[in-house]
Amino acid sequence: MPRICVIPGDGVGPEVIDACLDVLFVLDLNIQFEKDIVGIQEFKKSGSYMTTETLDSAQNADAILFGTLTTPSDPAYVSPLLLLRWNLELYANVRPVKCLNPEFCMVPLDIVIIRENTEGLYGAVEREIDDKIITERVISQKACKRIIDFAFNYAVENNRKQVSCIHKANVLRASDEMFRNMFYGVGVNFAFYNKIRSNDYYVDAAAMHLVLNPENFDMIVTLNLYGDILSDEAAGLVGGLGFAPSANIGENNFLFEPVHGSAPDIAGKGIANPTAAILSASMMLDHLGFGDKADLIRETLVDIYADKENWTVDVGGKCGTKEFTSRLIKEIENKQASL
Ligand code: NAI
Ligand code: MG
């Protein structure tokens, strides 16, 4: 039986993860869930934001279902999420962005952003010299090749037709240029054998084209910071961060989490949209071999959002987290009963 390490975290994390667990429960899956604590709650208890026991528990699980974290002002803080990404070598961050109802989307996007997840400005060394701070960014050939290979393989497996490389090679003419060259080196073979188109954009222009010419994009492969920024932008175009799920993929470990943070402005109010977390749990089900159940959740979400009465507060509706989740569960149960 697969064992899932569930880490709700801070802020709205526990609210949206509880919603996920309620949905997973009605699917009657043969899965074992174990909750672990990280973040501010753990710090108050043990003086550490994530204990080695939790890291081990996550490492030995078949998958990790992760909520959200609040970044405290403590200068010694290192995010447990970044520690998990680095320690478990979760090198590919897969972020599908899909419009569930054109009525609340600015743009009818259906794209997948593949973000390099281990290098770049995350975990960058910052040195203070006199009145300057120097930030060092690492971009390695190994990580570039690995994420580009991953993106093209994902395109083949998921029937995507085009991969766009997003970079800033006109300014970062060594590192980002290496990334772009590697992309075309790998991309030429893939394009030839698998009929996948490849092209590239500077990140600033890509940010504009996402809004004005969304049909230009199918899949994006990009470096860590650009992927972080573009995925929030893309989420904004389809209703907000409440709709953006993600998977962090490594060779042996897999972590699924909503793209959003702990949303302190709405935490505790019962109005967080659980859709991003529930879609992340669906990606986890795909990974565990329960693709039919994952499809059932995704199809039901589209059906639920077709009726304005079911809309969540972030898109102008009235349903809070619990109300939305119970409506979704009811609809899933109806569909399961008629199968
Ligand atoms: P955020 O993603 O928490 O919130 C940005 C905006 O989106 C807020 O207005 C929030 O209310 C809204 N929002 C986010 N999730 C939502 C949901 N499920 N339903 C409805 N509205 C939602 O980003 P912010 O405010 O910049 O950061 C807050 C905290 O989260 C910070 O401490 C930050 O460091 C942390 N953070 C953690 C992340 C993680 O755990 N993966 C990712 C991003 C930020
Ligand atoms: Mg982000």
Side-chain angles (χ1 to χ4, degrees):
M1 188 195 303
R3 185 177 71 84
I4 310 303
C5 171
V6 181
I7 303 181
D10 306 313
V12 296
E15 300 171 45
V16 296
I17 292 298
D18 275 355
C20 278
L21 295 177
D22 288 348
V23 171
L24 292 171
F25 182 72
V26 298
L27 296 173
D28 218 5
L29 300 160
N30 210 11
I31 292 181
Q32 184 193 344
F33 296 99
E34 262 176 45
K35 266 196 190 169
D36 278 302
I37 297 170
V38 303
I40 289 165
Q41 229 185 313
E42 179 62 56
F43 184 77
K44 284 182 185 153
K45 203 172 85 190
S46 69
S48 157
Y49 291 97
M50 180 170 62
T51 62
T52 47
E53 287 78 22
T54 301
L55 184 58
D56 285 349
S57 157
Q59 182 150 24
N60 294 321
D62 294 287
I64 305 157
L65 183 60
F66 197 93
T68 62
L69 292 170
T70 297
T71 308
S73 50
D74 179 357
Y77 176 77
V78 182
S79 160
L81 180 60
L82 290 182
L83 288 175
L84 285 164
R85 285 177 182 167
W86 297 329
N87 278 290
L88 309 186
E89 284 262 336
L90 304 173
Y91 66 91
N93 196 326
V94 180
R95 300 186 152 193
V97 185
K98 189 171 178 182
C99 169
L100 297 186
N101 182 335
E103 278 190 78
F104 56 71
C105 299
M106 280 187 236
V107 160
L109 275 184
D110 178 5
I111 63 168
V112 181
I113 298 174
I114 308 287
R115 161 186 176 194
E116 202 292 316
N117 217 22
T118 58
E119 297 188 337
L121 283 168
Y122 293 74
V125 179
E126 297 205 291
R127 289 180 286 127
E128 258 185 83
I129 300 180
D130 303 327
D131 62 342
K132 299 187 200 72
I133 297 174
I134 299 173
T135 306
E136 289 174 346
R137 185 181 78 143
V138 174
I139 304 287
S140 73
Q141 281 195 19
K142 180 183 162 215
C144 289
K145 176 157 189 334
R146 191 166 61 170
I147 198 68
I148 291 164
D149 276 343
F150 180 93
F152 278 107
N153 279 313
Y154 183 99
V156 173
E157 283 163 18
N158 293 276
N159 204 21
R160 293 270 164 178
K161 301 292 175 220
Q162 176 185 280
V163 183
S164 303
C165 172
I166 308 297
H167 57 81
K168 191 70 183 165
N170 52 338
V171 174
L172 297 163
R173 296 175 68 172
S175 52
D176 279 33
E177 184 61 18
M178 173 180 77
F179 179 59
R180 176 165 63 174
N181 284 337
M182 187 87 75
F183 173 79
Y184 282 118
V186 173
V188 161
N189 284 335
F190 264 94
F192 183 76
Y193 288 113
N194 297 296
K195 297 195 172 66
I196 292 173
R197 294 189 303 277
S198 48
N199 57 24
D200 73 289
Y201 295 88
Y202 298 126
V203 62
D204 41 358
M208 179 205 65
H209 284 301
L210 265 179
V211 179
L212 292 185
N213 307 298
E215 67 286 352
N216 285 11
F217 297 103
D218 187 15
M219 274 184 67
I220 283 172
V221 62
T222 190
L223 297 172
N224 208 338
L225 180 64
Y226 310 142
D228 192 4
I229 296 170
L230 290 177
S231 53
D232 271 33
E233 182 197 1
L237 297 173
V238 299
L241 283 166
F243 294 88
S246 76
N248 296 251
I249 306 290
E251 295 296 343
N252 302 309
N253 290 101
F254 313 89
L255 182 152
F256 302 85
E257 48 151 355
V259 165
H260 61 78
S262 62
D265 53 339
I266 58 166
K269 294 186 179 161
I271 56 168
N273 185 347
T275 304
I278 292 168
L279 285 170
S280 308
S282 308
M283 293 173 84
M284 180 179 81
L285 294 185
D286 284 329
H287 165 71
L288 294 172
F290 299 108
D292 52 337
K293 304 284 186 187
D295 286 342
L296 175 65
I297 295 176
R298 286 186 285 256
E299 283 159 20
T300 314
L301 278 169
V302 172
D303 292 349
I304 281 274
Y305 276 113
D307 182 352
K308 237 178 182 151
E309 284 298 307
N310 299 325
W311 284 15
T312 44
V313 174
D314 52 345
V315 287
K318 292 193 202 76
C319 284
T321 317
K322 289 212 163 97
E323 179 60 27
F324 178 82
T325 307
S326 66
R327 288 177 186 214
L328 175 66
I329 287 172
K330 205 165 146 214
E331 195 53 37
I332 289 175
E333 284 175 329
N334 287 342
K335 283 188 191 238
Q336 287 195 130
S338 65
L339 281 178

